[in-house]
Amino acid sequence: KKKTVSFSTMPNDRKINSTAACISFMLEGCELKKVRSNSRMYSRFFVLDADMRSVRWEPSKKDSEKAKIEIKSVKEVRVGKKTPVLRSNGLSDQFPDECAFSIIYGDNYESLDLVASSADVVSAWVMGLRYLVSYGKHTPEAPGTGHPSLRTSWISSVFDLADLEKSGRIPVSRAVQLIKALNPGMKTSTIELKFKELQKASERPGTEVACNLFVEAYCELCTRPEIFFLLVQFSSNKEYLGLKDLLMFLEVEQGMEGVTEEKCLEIVGKYEPSKEGREKGYLAIDGFTRYLLSADCSIFDPQHRKVCQDMAQPLSHYYISSAHSACLLEDNFWGRSDISGYISALGLGCRSIELVLWDGPEGEPVVYTSPSATSCVPFRAVVGLIDQHAFTASAYPLILCLVVRCSAPQQRLAAQCLRKTLGEKLYLEPPNPAASYLPSPEQLKGRILIKGKKLPPGCEDSEGEVSDEEEGWELARRLGQEEREAPEGGGPRRVRLSRELSELVSLCQAVPFQDFESSRREQRYWEMCSFSEVEAGRFANECPAELVSYNKRFLSRVYPSPMRIDASNMNPQDFWKCGCQMVAMNYQTPGLMMDLNAGWFQQNGACGYVLRPAIMREEVSYFSANAKDSLPGVPAQLLHLKVISGQNLPKPKGSGAKGEVVEPYVCAEIHGIPADCAEHRTKTALQSGDNPVFDESLEFQINLPELAVLRFVVLDDDYIGDEFIAQYTIPFECLQPGYRHVPLQSLAGEPLPHATLFVHVAITDRRGGGKGHRRGLAGRRGRRVREYTSTKATGIKVIDEVFRTATQPLREATDLRENVQNALVSFKELCGLTPAANMKQCILTVATWLLHSDSAPSVTLNLAEKYPPMEAQGPIPDLLRKVLTAYETMIQTSRTLIESADAVYGKLIQAQQAGMDFHKELPRIEAKEGLRGRKLQKALESFAWNITVLKGQADLLKHAKAEALDNLWQIHNAGQSCGIGRNGSASPEPSRLRAPLEPIPE
């Protein structure tokens, strides 16, 4: 396979880590490709004039005075394919987004579209140009001259503290330790090499370094260009972030709400290392880097670090973290039972543990996970340990799955041990026959449930026969321990069960599974079935809708195939998508499947319970687990992921022979329903050391966000032995937008100190009008036909008439939403932004154009009105006119949506409720209509589809209205803060506009 190369091709010795370095690079000049409107590209040499007032290019047919752009005429510098020329079809796939940039200049807002050889070159030009546009007129001399910067002063003060002898020099060894202390994770050898390089360059070798050399070494080693570039984007003076700059960054880029200057001052006080910066409220590059690396800026939403889901739903409405062979430390066949496995599983929030009871050698039961285990654990010791650790990580109920392989006398001892040791924690209350569902985790807090067989109601003896489960017997047969009482003529195996053990089972009575129809008629809510991985997999593939429906009322447990003698794991997503609550995992076996399980159960305070998606819980809903497209009523979302760089990546485990070189690439994987499963990888960063730059954008469509998991995997493209470097798995619902660091973990799920990926995350609703960069192509093929979600005929006339009343409201709801979506995207594109941008960024961009020109036309936002118009005084350039027109369209479509949504919403809910009135009458109506077999199944499916569509479309409309109100609030807020708003005192209250997005009750 031919290796791919990263875009980061700037020589290592030309590290762009300051504004001065950017301008120095521009003064030297470099080759860029100039893109014409006819989609042709021409290589030209671009250079910044020595007086830093113009950018020139050559060769050119124009005279030298015309082949230039004056810095003072530049309105904006855009990164990526953000102009119509760069988005055109002929060019879109010829170069990556990160290698393109555009200079918008002149009174007519013309664009000079350029493509560079690498993202680093783009960063240098964009950073330098943005600096010159802001300060060029006032700072003709090279930046960095004059008084020492905030950063230099701080580094010098650190040096002075380390200079114990006050001689102006410190030993190299002390200097190395100092930099290592300031930047944990950096290799000692890297720092030593840098000092040698600088000493050689300054022709002052020796065992000591002076202050200026220490400052230079620190700046070169500890400045991350990608973070410096980010700081320059938001900084008013290009050296540090003031409180207003930081506030803007947090609100606009990080998506934080309700940020105040007091909060920003708190961040500065916590992360800015210099005393002067803390006193003045400045966050310089080192403080900014520390903040971005901190827990306060985590990619994982802190709201999900505590229990944040409704815990009052029935137990069957949750996924439950479940262990299979928790006490094994190695594989099933050769493993040795070790009691610490239980402590580990319970500490990770596991809420269902399997205990296989066997006859012990001394008359007391023991726990093996297989009879081949080289040692056994006394049952009494295991129960004592469970009593001690059951609720250390989670207060919610623990389910002990007893698989009984011991004699009746030892069963009695086991029952006595459970009662005596667990006492009040044991849940022994009989189920309420009048109820329809299991109690909630909230009601069962602090209780331990026993899952197992129960003697039939008519049995009065001290013990009796019950059907046995298949679990555990396959391995017993392998090892010569097969039960001799196999029934004649087939049928379920029978075992003896003691009354004492039977009486401990209440809410989780194990019963054999017959078929879905029998379960619907006869199974009681406190009875549960266990399925082998093979059997559950067959149901998931052949009748997923029936399995989902079954799991709405009943708990189901899926256990690994007995063929997995290496204790490998099944993919839990295969069964979660069908609603199976308890997928038993081999916790002792690391890898992809355990990563998915561990990551998934982090999202609700790691309490071991995760509420299933609403579409899987509602009594009447249509959901196909194997859907290959978007689901009715569930808003599909786009995940825009930019993998920027990696920090302190370790070598792969088996790569001892290859020396220090790591050539990493990043795979981003989405795991969820089949329609969502996808994987994209970055290019390989060659010879990049421990801190590679990837600078690559990836995009995923997520159709069922509530069930999606994102996994980052870092791999080595030049490995000898194991290619795995690190991974991190996070539920989609826990992602925070903006610039974030991903804390990488080892194969076993343990944190890797200081190893991170730096990424940018943006999540948007899927647009009605298709993806932005394909618009031109779609335009040529003809206008895209809008797709409307509609109801399906059930074949029952009286019911179909009710659902037919929703046809028009469904069309209206789609039109209202998609008209706003299309108008929003057009406005964002004309502003030079992606669909992932928010409204505040759009208004700030327009304001920037107007403020960076002496002859700027007068454009204002009239904030006195609820739907503020953008008004222009006098003649305006063509591009600005298009922006104003797009803004007006966006405002008008938003107004129509806001004012019409409630009425359309009411019609949809009315139709849904009228449909639901038939739900209890369905069996009678079906019998009257004579529906049976396939026709009956189709009628039930269509009915569930219609209910789901009506509720889902109503939800989407409510959400769209709340978003439109939020956009209005952002317009008012941005208009006031950037200076183009007038009559601002009439700005609406955020609380009035930003209505909370409450879900429609189930």
Side-chain angles (χ1 to χ4, degrees), residues 326-328 337-343 346 353-358 364-369 375-390 398 400-402 414 417-418 421-422 448:
C327 73
L328 269 195
S337 299
D338 186 302
I339 210 159
S340 65
Y342 290 111
I343 301 173
L346 290 169
I353 283 181
E354 176 194 49
L355 299 175
V356 187
L357 274 62
W358 300 84
E364 283 205 20
V366 293
V367 173
Y368 290 99
T369 46
S375 62
C376 58
V377 182
F379 180 69
R380 190 178 302 278
V382 174
V383 175
L385 186 110
I386 288 170
D387 179 53
Q388 192 179 343
H389 295 276
L398 174 67
L400 297 184
C401 301
L402 297 188
C417 173
L418 285 165
T421 310
L422 301 179
I448 295 175

Side-chain angles (χ1 to χ4, degrees), residues 251 256-260 263 969 994:
E251 277 196 345
M256 288 174 66
E257 294 185 359
V259 187
T260 60
K263 172 66 179 171
W969 180 82
R994 297 187 132 180

Side-chain angles (χ1 to χ4, degrees), residues 107-128:
D107 291 340
N108 292 320
Y109 292 78
E110 297 168 68
S111 73
L112 173 63
D113 299 301
L114 302 167
V115 177
S117 60
S118 77
D120 285 345
V121 173
V122 172
S123 295
W125 277 95
V126 172
M127 214 184 306

Side-chain angles (χ1 to χ4, degrees), residues 104 179 362 367 509 538 574 670 831:
I104 311 297
I179 289 181
E362 296 173 11
V367 173
Q509 182 182 339
R538 182 164 53 81
D574 290 344
I670 293 289
C831 291

Side-chain angles (χ1 to χ4, degrees), residues 291-356:
Y291 170 65
L292 289 173
L293 280 163
S294 74
D296 288 342
C297 199
S298 168
I299 191 171
F300 192 95
D301 187 341
Q303 286 187 355
H304 289 269
R305 295 207 182 278
K306 54 184 184 296
V307 175
C308 56
Q309 296 176 346
D310 177 9
M311 300 304 286
Q313 301 272 340
L315 209 60
S316 58
H317 286 185
Y318 298 84
Y319 296 112
I320 303 170
S321 180
S322 306
H324 182 232
S325 304
C327 73
L328 269 195
L329 292 187
E330 296 165 27
D331 62 57
N332 279 339
F333 198 82
W334 303 109
R336 55 190 178 82
S337 299
D338 186 302
I339 210 159
S340 65
Y342 290 111
I343 301 173
S344 172
L346 290 169
L348 292 168
C350 178
R351 295 289 84 198
S352 167
I353 283 181
E354 176 194 49
L355 299 175
V356 187

Side-chain angles (χ1 to χ4, degrees), residues 678-885:
E679 176 185 315
H680 296 311
R681 61 158 283 180
T682 66
K683 292 181 173 62
T684 301
L686 298 175
Q687 302 293 322
S688 58
D690 307 328
N691 303 299
V693 174
F694 301 104
D695 251 326
E696 199 155 348
S697 297
L698 313 171
E699 188 174 280
F700 298 90
Q701 179 171 312
I702 316 291
N703 294 289
L704 185 55
E706 289 174 279
L707 207 57
V709 175
L710 170 64
R711 182 173 184 255
F712 296 94
V713 196
V714 187
L715 300 163
D716 188 359
D717 208 3
D718 185 32
Y719 69 96
I720 299 170
D722 186 8
E723 65 171 345
F724 178 88
I725 295 175
Q727 66 84 27
Y728 180 73
T729 308
I730 180 171
F732 181 80
E733 297 281 271
C734 298
L735 284 171
Q736 288 216 96
Y739 288 92
R740 309 285 174 182
H741 280 90
V742 177
L744 294 173
Q745 297 175 348
S746 69
L747 189 65
E750 292 156 352
L752 293 169
H754 315 299
T756 55
L757 286 178
F758 188 43
V759 300
H760 182 265
V761 176
I763 299 166
T764 57
D765 287 341
R766 188 178 62 167
R767 301 179 37 221
K771 294 179 185 175
H773 62 272
R774 292 184 184 157
R775 274 186 83 186
L777 190 63
R780 277 211 291 273
R781 285 180 183 162
R783 196 162 176 176
R784 193 181 72 92
V785 178
R786 180 168 289 176
E787 294 174 9
Y788 293 97
T789 306
S790 57
T791 56
K792 293 181 178 179
T794 63
I796 302 169
K797 187 179 177 185
V798 63
I799 294 177
D800 287 341
E801 283 176 359
V802 167
F803 287 131
R804 211 170 287 126
T805 62
T807 305
Q808 190 56 34
L810 279 171
R811 289 182 70 89
E812 288 174 17
T814 302
D815 286 338
L816 287 170
R817 287 188 295 104
E818 294 211 359
N819 288 346
V820 171
Q821 278 296 315
N822 292 340
L824 273 170
V825 170
S826 295
F827 178 54
K828 289 173 184 179
E829 284 186 354
L830 283 165
C831 291
L833 298 168
T834 66
N838 58 40
M839 189 51 59
K840 185 173 268 192
Q841 286 169 306
C842 296
I843 301 301
L844 293 175
T845 299
V846 174
T848 305
W849 296 350
L850 300 170
L851 298 173
H852 282 166
S853 175
D854 296 329
S855 58
S858 174
V859 176
T860 54
L861 274 169
N862 185 356
L863 301 181
E865 297 187 29
K866 182 181 177 182
Y867 303 97
M870 198 178 277
E871 299 161 345
Q873 310 296 323
I876 55 171
D878 186 47
L879 175 68
L880 204 52
R881 182 178 288 105
K882 287 179 182 175
V883 169
L884 295 186
T885 304

